[in-house]
Amino acid sequence: MANHKSAIKRIRQTQTRRLRNKYYHTSMRSAIRKLRAETDKEKALEKLPEVSSMIDRVAKRNIIHKNKAANLKSKLAKHINAL
């Protein structure tokens, strides 16, 4: 356990950030899962910009790498075009 006041505060901060990042990551993943499960091409095309911006926001916050974000968006667009 931390002894210094600043170390105790740092533990609190990292815990808060970890939970926030986990929330953003899981919500992004569930949005991707819902989009992949969509069978109607029109509805999928409507949802694609929302999911893409969500992926970009998560990448901007460094929760996922920017190249992973690009790969995810590319795969989603490819999947929707194949519908």
Side-chain angles (χ1 to χ4, degrees):
M1 185 63 204
N3 293 322
H4 296 284
K5 204 172 184 181
S6 60
I8 293 169
K9 181 180 177 181
R10 185 60 72 182
I11 289 169
R12 281 198 317 266
Q13 287 176 332
T14 55
Q15 174 73 2
T16 307
R17 288 184 187 132
R18 186 181 70 80
L19 291 173
R20 190 182 305 128
N21 290 342
K22 187 178 176 186
Y23 167 75
Y24 288 135
H25 196 217
T26 54
S27 61
M28 178 204 67
R29 285 176 60 202
S30 61
I32 291 170
R33 212 174 288 125
K34 285 178 188 171
L35 183 62
R36 282 209 180 111
E38 192 68 53
T39 56
D40 185 27
K41 189 172 184 173
E42 295 299 319
K43 288 182 182 178
L45 282 172
E46 287 176 17
K47 287 183 181 180
L48 183 63
E50 298 169 18
V51 176
S52 293
S53 70
M54 186 181 285
I55 291 170
D56 286 334
R57 280 196 304 269
V58 170
K60 187 177 83 174
R61 291 187 174 109
N62 287 322
I63 297 169
I64 62 170
H65 196 270
K66 62 177 183 167
N67 291 350
K68 181 182 173 79
N71 287 336
L72 283 171
K73 292 188 333 186
S74 171
K75 285 178 186 175
L76 283 173
K78 201 172 178 181
H79 173 73
I80 289 171
N81 287 332
L83 287 177

